[in-house]
Short mmCIF file of all heavy atoms in Angstrom, two decimals:
data_model
loop_
_atom_site.label_atom_id
_atom_site.label_comp_id
_atom_site.label_asym_id
_atom_site.label_seq_id
_atom_site.Cartn_x
_atom_site.Cartn_y
_atom_site.Cartn_z
N GLU A 54 16.20 -27.32 20.94
CA GLU A 54 16.96 -26.07 20.96
C GLU A 54 16.18 -24.95 20.29
O GLU A 54 16.16 -23.81 20.78
CB GLU A 54 18.30 -26.28 20.26
CG GLU A 54 19.26 -27.17 21.03
CD GLU A 54 20.54 -27.42 20.25
OE1 GLU A 54 20.60 -26.96 19.08
OE2 GLU A 54 21.46 -28.05 20.79
N GLN A 55 15.54 -25.26 19.15
CA GLN A 55 14.73 -24.25 18.48
C GLN A 55 13.57 -23.78 19.34
O GLN A 55 13.23 -22.59 19.38
CB GLN A 55 14.22 -24.79 17.14
CG GLN A 55 15.29 -24.95 16.07
CD GLN A 55 14.72 -25.46 14.78
OE1 GLN A 55 13.52 -25.68 14.67
NE2 GLN A 55 15.59 -25.65 13.79
N GLU A 56 12.95 -24.72 20.05
CA GLU A 56 11.83 -24.35 20.91
C GLU A 56 12.30 -23.44 22.06
O GLU A 56 11.64 -22.45 22.38
CB GLU A 56 11.18 -25.62 21.48
CG GLU A 56 9.91 -25.35 22.26
CD GLU A 56 9.25 -26.65 22.71
OE1 GLU A 56 9.75 -27.72 22.33
OE2 GLU A 56 8.25 -26.56 23.43
N GLN A 57 13.46 -23.78 22.65
CA GLN A 57 13.99 -22.93 23.70
C GLN A 57 14.36 -21.55 23.16
O GLN A 57 14.09 -20.52 23.80
CB GLN A 57 15.23 -23.59 24.33
CG GLN A 57 14.91 -24.84 25.11
CD GLN A 57 16.16 -25.49 25.67
OE1 GLN A 57 17.28 -25.03 25.41
NE2 GLN A 57 15.99 -26.56 26.44
N LYS A 58 14.95 -21.52 21.98
CA LYS A 58 15.31 -20.24 21.36
C LYS A 58 14.06 -19.41 21.07
O LYS A 58 14.03 -18.19 21.29
CB LYS A 58 16.09 -20.49 20.07
CG LYS A 58 16.68 -19.24 19.45
CD LYS A 58 17.50 -19.60 18.23
CE LYS A 58 18.09 -18.34 17.61
NZ LYS A 58 18.89 -18.67 16.39
N GLN A 59 12.99 -20.06 20.57
CA GLN A 59 11.75 -19.35 20.29
C GLN A 59 11.13 -18.81 21.57
O GLN A 59 10.59 -17.69 21.60
CB GLN A 59 10.78 -20.29 19.57
CG GLN A 59 9.51 -19.61 19.07
CD GLN A 59 9.79 -18.64 17.94
OE1 GLN A 59 10.76 -18.79 17.22
NE2 GLN A 59 8.95 -17.63 17.83
N GLN A 60 11.19 -19.59 22.65
CA GLN A 60 10.66 -19.12 23.92
C GLN A 60 11.42 -17.91 24.43
O GLN A 60 10.83 -16.95 24.95
CB GLN A 60 10.71 -20.26 24.95
CG GLN A 60 9.71 -21.38 24.69
CD GLN A 60 9.84 -22.50 25.70
OE1 GLN A 60 10.70 -22.46 26.59
NE2 GLN A 60 8.98 -23.51 25.57
N GLN A 61 12.74 -17.93 24.29
CA GLN A 61 13.54 -16.78 24.70
C GLN A 61 13.21 -15.54 23.88
O GLN A 61 13.09 -14.43 24.42
CB GLN A 61 15.03 -17.11 24.59
CG GLN A 61 15.51 -18.17 25.57
CD GLN A 61 16.97 -18.53 25.36
OE1 GLN A 61 17.62 -17.99 24.46
NE2 GLN A 61 17.48 -19.43 26.18
N GLU A 62 13.05 -15.72 22.56
CA GLU A 62 12.69 -14.59 21.71
C GLU A 62 11.31 -14.04 22.05
O GLU A 62 11.11 -12.82 22.10
CB GLU A 62 12.74 -15.01 20.24
CG GLU A 62 14.16 -15.27 19.72
CD GLU A 62 14.17 -15.70 18.27
OE1 GLU A 62 13.06 -15.86 17.72
OE2 GLU A 62 15.26 -15.87 17.71
N ASN A 63 10.36 -14.94 22.32
CA ASN A 63 9.02 -14.49 22.69
C ASN A 63 9.04 -13.73 24.02
O ASN A 63 8.35 -12.71 24.18
CB ASN A 63 8.06 -15.68 22.79
CG ASN A 63 7.81 -16.33 21.45
OD1 ASN A 63 8.01 -15.70 20.40
ND2 ASN A 63 7.39 -17.57 21.46
N LEU A 64 9.85 -14.22 24.98
CA LEU A 64 9.96 -13.53 26.25
C LEU A 64 10.60 -12.15 26.08
O LEU A 64 10.15 -11.16 26.67
CB LEU A 64 10.78 -14.38 27.22
CG LEU A 64 10.97 -13.81 28.64
CD1 LEU A 64 9.61 -13.65 29.32
CD2 LEU A 64 11.88 -14.72 29.45
N LYS A 65 11.63 -12.09 25.24
CA LYS A 65 12.29 -10.81 24.98
C LYS A 65 11.33 -9.83 24.30
O LYS A 65 11.26 -8.64 24.67
CB LYS A 65 13.51 -11.04 24.10
CG LYS A 65 14.33 -9.79 23.84
CD LYS A 65 15.53 -10.12 22.98
CE LYS A 65 16.33 -8.84 22.67
NZ LYS A 65 17.50 -9.16 21.80
N LYS A 66 10.55 -10.32 23.33
CA LYS A 66 9.59 -9.46 22.65
C LYS A 66 8.50 -8.99 23.61
O LYS A 66 8.05 -7.84 23.55
CB LYS A 66 8.98 -10.21 21.47
CG LYS A 66 8.07 -9.35 20.60
CD LYS A 66 7.57 -10.12 19.40
CE LYS A 66 6.67 -9.24 18.54
NZ LYS A 66 6.15 -9.97 17.36
N LYS A 67 8.08 -9.87 24.52
CA LYS A 67 7.05 -9.50 25.49
C LYS A 67 7.54 -8.39 26.39
O LYS A 67 6.82 -7.43 26.70
CB LYS A 67 6.67 -10.74 26.30
CG LYS A 67 5.49 -10.51 27.23
CD LYS A 67 5.13 -11.80 27.94
CE LYS A 67 3.95 -11.58 28.89
NZ LYS A 67 3.59 -12.83 29.59
N ILE A 68 8.80 -8.48 26.82
CA ILE A 68 9.37 -7.43 27.67
C ILE A 68 9.46 -6.12 26.91
O ILE A 68 9.14 -5.04 27.44
CB ILE A 68 10.76 -7.88 28.18
CG1 ILE A 68 10.62 -9.10 29.09
CG2 ILE A 68 11.45 -6.74 28.92
CD1 ILE A 68 11.93 -9.72 29.49
N GLU A 69 9.88 -6.19 25.64
CA GLU A 69 9.98 -4.98 24.84
C GLU A 69 8.61 -4.35 24.60
O GLU A 69 8.46 -3.12 24.63
CB GLU A 69 10.67 -5.29 23.51
CG GLU A 69 12.14 -5.65 23.65
CD GLU A 69 12.75 -6.05 22.33
OE1 GLU A 69 11.99 -6.30 21.37
OE2 GLU A 69 14.00 -6.12 22.25
N LEU A 70 7.59 -5.18 24.39
CA LEU A 70 6.24 -4.66 24.18
C LEU A 70 5.71 -3.99 25.45
O LEU A 70 5.02 -2.97 25.39
CB LEU A 70 5.30 -5.78 23.74
CG LEU A 70 5.53 -6.35 22.34
CD1 LEU A 70 4.54 -7.48 22.07
CD2 LEU A 70 5.38 -5.27 21.29
N GLU A 71 6.04 -4.56 26.61
CA GLU A 71 5.63 -3.93 27.86
C GLU A 71 6.30 -2.57 28.03
O GLU A 71 5.70 -1.62 28.53
CB GLU A 71 5.96 -4.85 29.04
CG GLU A 71 5.08 -6.10 29.10
CD GLU A 71 5.46 -7.01 30.24
OE1 GLU A 71 6.46 -6.70 30.93
OE2 GLU A 71 4.78 -8.03 30.45
N LYS A 72 7.56 -2.46 27.62
CA LYS A 72 8.25 -1.17 27.68
C LYS A 72 7.58 -0.15 26.76
O LYS A 72 7.42 1.02 27.12
CB LYS A 72 9.72 -1.33 27.30
CG LYS A 72 10.53 -2.11 28.32
CD LYS A 72 11.99 -2.22 27.87
CE LYS A 72 12.82 -3.00 28.87
NZ LYS A 72 14.23 -3.14 28.40
N LEU A 73 7.18 -0.60 25.55
CA LEU A 73 6.51 0.32 24.63
C LEU A 73 5.15 0.74 25.16
O LEU A 73 4.74 1.89 25.00
CB LEU A 73 6.35 -0.35 23.25
CG LEU A 73 7.59 -0.38 22.36
CD1 LEU A 73 7.26 -1.07 21.05
CD2 LEU A 73 8.08 1.02 22.08
N ARG A 74 4.42 -0.19 25.80
CA ARG A 74 3.13 0.17 26.38
C ARG A 74 3.29 1.21 27.49
O ARG A 74 2.45 2.09 27.66
CB ARG A 74 2.44 -1.07 26.94
CG ARG A 74 1.90 -2.01 25.87
CD ARG A 74 0.97 -3.04 26.47
NE ARG A 74 0.52 -3.98 25.44
CZ ARG A 74 1.10 -5.14 25.19
NH1 ARG A 74 2.16 -5.50 25.88
NH2 ARG A 74 0.65 -5.93 24.24
N ALA A 75 4.38 1.11 28.23
CA ALA A 75 4.63 2.10 29.28
C ALA A 75 4.92 3.48 28.68
O ALA A 75 4.65 4.50 29.32
CB ALA A 75 5.80 1.66 30.15
N LEU A 76 5.47 3.50 27.45
CA LEU A 76 5.78 4.77 26.82
C LEU A 76 4.55 5.44 26.22
O LEU A 76 4.54 6.65 26.01
CB LEU A 76 6.82 4.58 25.71
CG LEU A 76 8.22 4.18 26.16
CD1 LEU A 76 9.09 3.89 24.96
CD2 LEU A 76 8.85 5.27 27.01
N GLN A 77 3.51 4.67 25.92
CA GLN A 77 2.33 5.24 25.29
C GLN A 77 1.62 6.19 26.25
O GLN A 77 1.49 5.89 27.44
CB GLN A 77 1.36 4.14 24.85
CG GLN A 77 1.77 3.47 23.56
CD GLN A 77 0.69 2.53 23.07
OE1 GLN A 77 -0.04 1.95 23.85
NE2 GLN A 77 0.59 2.38 21.77
N PRO A 78 1.16 7.34 25.76
CA PRO A 78 0.47 8.29 26.65
C PRO A 78 -0.87 7.73 27.09
O PRO A 78 -1.64 7.20 26.29
CB PRO A 78 0.30 9.53 25.77
CG PRO A 78 0.34 9.01 24.37
CD PRO A 78 1.27 7.84 24.39
N LYS A 79 -1.14 7.84 28.38
CA LYS A 79 -2.40 7.37 28.93
C LYS A 79 -3.47 8.45 28.91
O LYS A 79 -4.59 8.22 29.36
CB LYS A 79 -2.19 6.88 30.37
CG LYS A 79 -1.22 5.70 30.46
CD LYS A 79 -1.03 5.26 31.90
CE LYS A 79 -0.05 4.10 31.98
NZ LYS A 79 0.17 3.66 33.38
N MET A 80 -3.12 9.65 28.41
CA MET A 80 -4.08 10.74 28.38
C MET A 80 -5.02 10.60 27.20
O MET A 80 -4.81 9.77 26.30
CB MET A 80 -3.34 12.07 28.32
CG MET A 80 -2.46 12.34 29.52
SD MET A 80 -1.67 13.93 29.41
CE MET A 80 -0.72 13.93 30.93
N HIS A 81 -6.02 11.44 27.21
CA HIS A 81 -7.03 11.42 26.15
C HIS A 81 -6.51 12.17 24.94
O HIS A 81 -6.35 13.39 24.98
CB HIS A 81 -8.31 12.07 26.68
CG HIS A 81 -9.45 11.99 25.72
ND1 HIS A 81 -9.75 10.86 25.01
CD2 HIS A 81 -10.37 12.91 25.35
CE1 HIS A 81 -10.82 11.08 24.26
NE2 HIS A 81 -11.21 12.33 24.44
N THR A 82 -6.18 11.47 23.87
CA THR A 82 -5.63 12.08 22.67
C THR A 82 -6.66 12.07 21.56
O THR A 82 -7.74 11.49 21.68
CB THR A 82 -4.37 11.34 22.21
OG1 THR A 82 -4.71 9.97 21.94
CG2 THR A 82 -3.30 11.37 23.29
N TRP A 83 -6.32 12.70 20.44
CA TRP A 83 -7.26 12.76 19.32
C TRP A 83 -7.50 11.38 18.73
O TRP A 83 -8.59 11.05 18.29
CB TRP A 83 -6.73 13.71 18.25
CG TRP A 83 -6.94 15.14 18.58
CD1 TRP A 83 -6.00 16.05 18.92
CD2 TRP A 83 -8.19 15.84 18.62
NE1 TRP A 83 -6.56 17.27 19.18
CE2 TRP A 83 -7.91 17.17 18.99
CE3 TRP A 83 -9.50 15.48 18.39
CZ2 TRP A 83 -8.90 18.13 19.13
CZ3 TRP A 83 -10.48 16.44 18.52
CH2 TRP A 83 -10.19 17.74 18.89
N SER A 84 -6.47 10.52 18.72
CA SER A 84 -6.65 9.17 18.17
C SER A 84 -7.68 8.39 18.99
O SER A 84 -8.56 7.71 18.44
CB SER A 84 -5.31 8.44 18.14
OG SER A 84 -4.39 9.14 17.35
N SER A 85 -7.56 8.46 20.32
CA SER A 85 -8.53 7.76 21.15
C SER A 85 -9.92 8.37 21.01
O SER A 85 -10.93 7.68 21.11
CB SER A 85 -8.08 7.80 22.61
OG SER A 85 -8.00 9.14 23.07
N PHE A 86 -9.99 9.68 20.77
CA PHE A 86 -11.30 10.32 20.57
C PHE A 86 -11.98 9.76 19.33
O PHE A 86 -13.18 9.46 19.34
CB PHE A 86 -11.11 11.83 20.45
CG PHE A 86 -12.32 12.53 19.88
CD1 PHE A 86 -13.46 12.69 20.64
CD2 PHE A 86 -12.32 13.01 18.59
CE1 PHE A 86 -14.58 13.32 20.12
CE2 PHE A 86 -13.41 13.66 18.06
CZ PHE A 86 -14.56 13.80 18.84
N TYR A 87 -11.24 9.59 18.24
CA TYR A 87 -11.83 9.05 17.02
C TYR A 87 -12.31 7.61 17.23
O TYR A 87 -13.35 7.20 16.73
CB TYR A 87 -10.81 9.09 15.89
CG TYR A 87 -10.52 10.48 15.38
CD1 TYR A 87 -9.27 10.82 14.89
CD2 TYR A 87 -11.50 11.47 15.39
CE1 TYR A 87 -9.00 12.10 14.43
CE2 TYR A 87 -11.25 12.73 14.94
CZ TYR A 87 -10.00 13.05 14.46
OH TYR A 87 -9.73 14.31 14.01
N GLU A 88 -11.56 6.84 18.01
CA GLU A 88 -11.92 5.44 18.20
C GLU A 88 -13.15 5.29 19.10
O GLU A 88 -13.98 4.41 18.90
CB GLU A 88 -10.74 4.68 18.80
CG GLU A 88 -9.55 4.60 17.86
CD GLU A 88 -8.36 3.96 18.52
OE1 GLU A 88 -8.47 3.59 19.71
OE2 GLU A 88 -7.30 3.84 17.87
N THR A 89 -13.28 6.15 20.13
CA THR A 89 -14.35 5.98 21.10
C THR A 89 -15.62 6.72 20.73
O THR A 89 -16.71 6.31 21.09
CB THR A 89 -13.89 6.46 22.49
OG1 THR A 89 -13.43 7.82 22.36
CG2 THR A 89 -12.75 5.61 22.98
N HIS A 90 -15.51 7.85 20.00
CA HIS A 90 -16.67 8.68 19.73
C HIS A 90 -17.26 8.45 18.35
O HIS A 90 -18.32 8.96 18.05
CB HIS A 90 -16.31 10.15 19.89
CG HIS A 90 -16.09 10.55 21.31
ND1 HIS A 90 -14.95 10.19 22.00
CD2 HIS A 90 -16.86 11.24 22.19
CE1 HIS A 90 -15.03 10.67 23.23
NE2 HIS A 90 -16.17 11.30 23.38
N ILE A 91 -16.58 7.72 17.51
CA ILE A 91 -17.11 7.49 16.16
C ILE A 91 -17.06 5.99 15.86
O ILE A 91 -16.32 5.53 15.01
CB ILE A 91 -16.31 8.27 15.10
CG1 ILE A 91 -16.06 9.69 15.59
CG2 ILE A 91 -17.04 8.32 13.78
CD1 ILE A 91 -15.10 10.45 14.74
N PRO A 92 -17.82 5.17 16.57
CA PRO A 92 -17.75 3.73 16.32
C PRO A 92 -18.55 3.28 15.11
O PRO A 92 -18.34 2.20 14.59
CB PRO A 92 -18.33 3.13 17.62
CG PRO A 92 -19.28 4.18 18.10
CD PRO A 92 -18.69 5.50 17.69
N GLN A 93 -19.51 4.12 14.65
CA GLN A 93 -20.41 3.68 13.58
C GLN A 93 -19.76 3.78 12.21
O GLN A 93 -20.14 3.08 11.29
CB GLN A 93 -21.69 4.52 13.59
CG GLN A 93 -22.51 4.37 14.86
CD GLN A 93 -22.12 5.41 15.90
OE1 GLN A 93 -21.08 6.04 15.77
NE2 GLN A 93 -22.94 5.57 16.91
N THR A 94 -18.79 4.64 12.03
CA THR A 94 -18.22 4.85 10.71
C THR A 94 -16.77 5.23 10.85
O THR A 94 -16.31 5.68 11.90
CB THR A 94 -18.97 5.95 9.95
OG1 THR A 94 -18.35 6.16 8.69
CG2 THR A 94 -18.96 7.26 10.71
N ASN A 95 -16.01 5.04 9.78
CA ASN A 95 -14.60 5.42 9.77
C ASN A 95 -14.40 6.87 9.35
O ASN A 95 -13.28 7.37 9.36
CB ASN A 95 -13.82 4.50 8.82
CG ASN A 95 -13.80 3.08 9.31
OD1 ASN A 95 -13.78 2.85 10.52
ND2 ASN A 95 -13.81 2.11 8.40
N LYS A 96 -15.48 7.54 8.93
CA LYS A 96 -15.35 8.91 8.45
C LYS A 96 -15.22 9.88 9.62
O LYS A 96 -15.84 9.71 10.67
CB LYS A 96 -16.57 9.30 7.61
CG LYS A 96 -16.68 8.51 6.31
CD LYS A 96 -17.87 8.98 5.50
CE LYS A 96 -17.97 8.20 4.19
NZ LYS A 96 -19.13 8.65 3.40
N ILE A 97 -14.42 10.89 9.45
CA ILE A 97 -14.26 11.92 10.47
C ILE A 97 -15.42 12.90 10.34
O ILE A 97 -15.76 13.31 9.24
CB ILE A 97 -12.91 12.63 10.29
CG1 ILE A 97 -11.78 11.61 10.43
CG2 ILE A 97 -12.73 13.76 11.28
CD1 ILE A 97 -10.43 12.17 10.14
N PRO A 98 -16.07 13.30 11.44
CA PRO A 98 -17.23 14.18 11.32
C PRO A 98 -16.85 15.54 10.76
O PRO A 98 -15.76 16.04 10.99
CB PRO A 98 -17.72 14.30 12.76
CG PRO A 98 -16.54 13.98 13.59
CD PRO A 98 -15.76 12.96 12.82
N LYS A 99 -17.77 16.13 10.02
CA LYS A 99 -17.50 17.42 9.41
C LYS A 99 -17.44 18.54 10.44
O LYS A 99 -16.85 19.58 10.18
CB LYS A 99 -18.57 17.73 8.36
CG LYS A 99 -18.56 16.77 7.18
CD LYS A 99 -19.60 17.16 6.16
CE LYS A 99 -19.56 16.21 4.95
NZ LYS A 99 -20.58 16.57 3.94
N THR A 100 -18.05 18.34 11.61
CA THR A 100 -18.08 19.39 12.62
C THR A 100 -16.82 19.42 13.47
O THR A 100 -16.75 20.16 14.43
CB THR A 100 -19.29 19.20 13.53
OG1 THR A 100 -19.27 17.87 14.07
CG2 THR A 100 -20.58 19.41 12.78
N ILE A 101 -15.85 18.63 13.16
CA ILE A 101 -14.66 18.55 14.00
C ILE A 101 -13.86 19.85 13.96
O ILE A 101 -13.15 20.17 14.89
CB ILE A 101 -13.78 17.36 13.56
CG1 ILE A 101 -12.75 17.01 14.64
CG2 ILE A 101 -13.07 17.67 12.27
CD1 ILE A 101 -13.36 16.47 15.87
N TYR A 102 -13.97 20.62 12.88
CA TYR A 102 -13.16 21.83 12.79
C TYR A 102 -13.95 23.07 13.18
O TYR A 102 -13.54 24.18 12.90
CB TYR A 102 -12.57 22.01 11.39
CG TYR A 102 -13.50 21.72 10.25
CD1 TYR A 102 -14.44 22.63 9.83
CD2 TYR A 102 -13.41 20.52 9.56
CE1 TYR A 102 -15.28 22.37 8.79
CE2 TYR A 102 -14.25 20.24 8.50
CZ TYR A 102 -15.18 21.18 8.13
OH TYR A 102 -16.01 20.90 7.08
N LEU A 103 -15.10 22.90 13.82
CA LEU A 103 -15.80 24.04 14.42
C LEU A 103 -15.23 24.30 15.81
O LEU A 103 -14.55 23.46 16.40
CB LEU A 103 -17.30 23.75 14.50
CG LEU A 103 -18.04 23.55 13.17
CD1 LEU A 103 -19.47 23.18 13.44
CD2 LEU A 103 -17.96 24.79 12.32
N SER A 104 -15.49 25.46 16.35
CA SER A 104 -15.01 25.77 17.69
C SER A 104 -15.80 24.94 18.70
O SER A 104 -16.88 24.42 18.42
CB SER A 104 -15.18 27.27 17.98
OG SER A 104 -16.55 27.63 17.93
N LEU A 105 -15.26 24.85 19.92
CA LEU A 105 -15.89 24.00 20.93
C LEU A 105 -17.26 24.53 21.35
O LEU A 105 -18.12 23.77 21.77
CB LEU A 105 -14.97 23.91 22.15
CG LEU A 105 -13.60 23.27 21.90
CD1 LEU A 105 -12.79 23.30 23.16
CD2 LEU A 105 -13.77 21.84 21.42
N ASP A 106 -17.48 25.85 21.25
CA ASP A 106 -18.77 26.41 21.63
C ASP A 106 -19.86 26.09 20.62
O ASP A 106 -21.04 26.16 20.94
CB ASP A 106 -18.65 27.93 21.78
CG ASP A 106 -17.65 28.31 22.85
OD1 ASP A 106 -17.44 27.49 23.77
OD2 ASP A 106 -17.07 29.40 22.75
N GLN A 107 -19.48 25.73 19.41
CA GLN A 107 -20.45 25.47 18.35
C GLN A 107 -20.77 23.98 18.18
O GLN A 107 -21.39 23.59 17.22
CB GLN A 107 -19.93 26.02 17.01
CG GLN A 107 -19.71 27.53 17.03
CD GLN A 107 -19.08 28.00 15.73
OE1 GLN A 107 -18.64 27.20 14.92
NE2 GLN A 107 -19.03 29.31 15.54
N GLN A 108 -20.31 23.14 19.13
CA GLN A 108 -20.57 21.72 19.00
C GLN A 108 -22.07 21.46 19.20
O GLN A 108 -22.69 22.01 20.12
CB GLN A 108 -19.77 20.93 20.04
CG GLN A 108 -18.26 21.04 19.86
CD GLN A 108 -17.80 20.35 18.59
OE1 GLN A 108 -18.55 19.60 17.98
NE2 GLN A 108 -16.58 20.62 18.19
#
Side-chain angles (χ1 to χ4, degrees):
E54 291 176 355
Q55 289 181 1
E56 187 176 355
Q57 292 178 356
K58 188 176 180 181
Q59 187 68 27
Q60 289 178 358
Q61 293 176 359
E62 291 179 356
N63 293 339
L64 182 61
K65 184 179 178 181
K66 186 176 181 180
K67 187 177 180 180
I68 295 172
E69 291 176 346
L70 291 178
E71 290 178 356
K72 291 180 180 179
L73 281 180
R74 287 193 184 94
L76 293 174
Q77 281 188 329
K79 298 179 181 180
M80 298 182 181
H81 185 43
T82 59
W83 281 110
S84 300
S85 61
F86 164 73
Y87 288 148
E88 294 175 0
T89 55
H90 289 74
I91 315 171
Q93 297 91 344
T94 178
N95 294 326
K96 294 182 179 180
I97 300 174
K99 295 182 179 180
T100 54
I101 196 67
Y102 42 80
L103 297 176
S104 62
L105 297 177
D106 299 334
Q107 298 175 350
Q108 297 292 347

